[in-house]
Amino acid sequence: MRRILPFLLVLLTIQTVAQNDLPVGLAPGEAVQMPAYLNNIEPNGIVTPPASPVRTAAEWEEMQAITITWTSYTSVLREIVRAAQTEAQVYIVCNDSNTVKTYLQNGNVPLINLHYLIVPYNSVWIRDYGQNTCYTNDVDSLILVDWIYNRPRPKDDTIPRRIAAAFNIPIYETTQSPNNVVHTGGNFMSDGLGTAFSSELVLDENPGHTEAEIDSIHSHFMGINRYVKMTVLPYDGIHHIDMHIKLLDEQTLLVGQYPQGVADGPQIEANLQYVLSNFMTPNGTPYKVIRIPMPPDSWGDYPDNGGYYCTYTNSVFVNNTVILPLYYAQYDTTAIRIYEEALPGYNIVGINCNSTISASGAIHCITHSVGTNDPLLISHFSLSNTTNTTVP
């Protein structure tokens, strides 16, 4: 018996660590669990679309809170708290608030604007299973919308309704037929004006629906009237677009760029050209494109040679601050400069993400947000170039 007990303790420890360190992608064995998981989804929110017109907020709109789950990669989470707490309230999903407070204080992070939700969870990837901020009648009433998480992680899938309860906000769910949709936040971005972007993963994960049906559900629940979908990338194992592209505003696309012919570079370029050739901004002008390097990992390898999927597009807006992942100075300084030039007036904060990127995720993947209750929506497109022949 004395030999068995240590073995059991080690086994339990391994299981606990594995639970907290679940990858952003499917863990071993999760794929075969998905059918049973999907057959046992129970609604906990409103499963019919809102009666009023809906608008999904853009990430750069005003938020009242940023949300994180305190489990893996706590050194990165701590720096996110440091950067975000003066911009918004920080809601921390955790199992022990005192442990979180001690860790923050040991890192000289003030305990201001922090709130703790002591609820069960499975993983750190709150972007993928978290809530989506929407408004009825443009800016009238704040609601949250939640899809079925594309991982068989039932505790994670309860987090959106727990956050909704904490804020006393109605939550709508696409969990019941005919409006059931499996989706993930890392594969979705909205311009706040009715256009959304995803990879075709959203089609692959919903084989029971046609593309028109998926579009219709997003239209009724989230006000998406133009849903752009791009071919999945060959070396991005999770097929989340936040790993290589980001909307900086209604008319600007930040696009990851590999060296010529490397890794997913050719498919990213093909997807970009598809977007530019077939879609205009809501203002009817061509999209502006800003390119940013997709760096190799610290061993000099790219994903097509087994390297990590290092990316600078996996950043997050927190009101007047933008937090982006960093890896090493050779490329980081270029990335910071590109963000500063593209987003004048924003506070650009970088956080080293060499620990998280090995799991195919960075800053955007482990954060989400709750919009403000009383937003002021200003949509102003930049003026096109003009020729002044009197005063050149």
Side-chain angles (χ1 to χ4, degrees), residues 81-116:
V81 172
R82 192 193 308 274
Q85 63 183 174
T86 58
E87 292 282 0
Q89 302 295 312
V90 181
Y91 276 71
I92 303 173
V93 176
C94 60
N95 55 26
D96 180 6
S97 61
N98 290 325
T99 299
V100 178
K101 292 173 184 177
T102 298
Y103 189 84
L104 292 173
Q105 289 177 313
N106 288 342
N108 296 315
V109 176
L111 301 183
I112 60 171
N113 295 332
L114 306 183
H115 308 266
Y116 307 92

Side-chain angles (χ1 to χ4, degrees), residues 141-185:
S141 298
L142 171 63
I143 64 172
L144 299 178
V145 177
D146 178 38
W147 308 296
I148 300 171
Y149 185 25
N150 67 340
R151 304 285 180 260
R153 300 170 187 173
K155 295 176 184 177
D156 284 348
D157 222 358
T158 67
I159 299 301
R161 67 173 176 264
R162 296 181 186 277
I163 290 173
F167 284 87
N168 195 26
I169 301 171
I171 185 163
Y172 291 77
E173 296 182 352
T174 63
T175 57
Q176 298 297 298
S177 180
N179 297 316
N180 53 319
V181 169
V182 177
H183 207 356
T184 179

